Amino acid sequence: EGMEFVIAYAPTEYGKDKVGRLIIQTEEMQWVFEVVGTSPAYTAPSGTSRVNTRLPSDVEASLHAASNKPKRNIVRDNLKPVNYTAKKFAGSS
């Protein structure tokens, strides 16, 4: 006549399978079992997004207009002689 043993395993995180040793010892016999605990199969959560990630149309239009503005070439503007002051060319006297 055999005895039935139920072993419960409740992992707290996913990962590698855990291996343990179950030792049952009586006055007459000793049994050693290797117990392998596996993680449950992952199931992705179902549901819909609760965060609205869409921009209002007026904000989207103003961002689009701002990004299409011609870029200013600051280096070219700084190289023009108009930007130099008279003190730089006068020298020290």
Side-chain angles (χ1 to χ4, degrees):
E1 115 188 33
M3 290 287 287
E4 184 177 329
F5 292 96
V6 178
I7 301 170
Y9 173 67
T12 56
E13 59 187 26
Y14 287 93
K16 200 171 157 186
D17 293 345
K18 301 293 182 183
V19 179
R21 184 174 290 157
L22 172 65
I23 301 173
I24 300 175
Q25 188 171 0
T26 65
E27 294 175 0
E28 299 143 5
M29 292 286 289
Q30 177 178 349
W31 294 274
V32 179
F33 299 96
E34 187 175 88
V35 181
V36 179
T38 58
S39 300
Y42 177 76
T43 55
S46 61
T48 58
S49 169
R50 291 186 233 161
V51 178
N52 184 8
T53 59
R54 297 283 181 188
L55 286 175
S57 59
D58 58 332
V59 174
E60 190 172 357
S62 65
L63 284 174
H64 184 66
S67 67
N68 288 338
K69 189 168 51 170
K71 304 289 184 215
R72 179 177 169 198
N73 189 341
I74 297 172
V75 174
R76 184 188 64 216
D77 292 346
N78 285 338
L79 291 175
K80 291 181 182 177
V82 175
N83 292 327
Y84 290 108
T85 60
K87 291 181 182 176
K88 289 184 182 177
F89 294 114
S92 58
S93 3

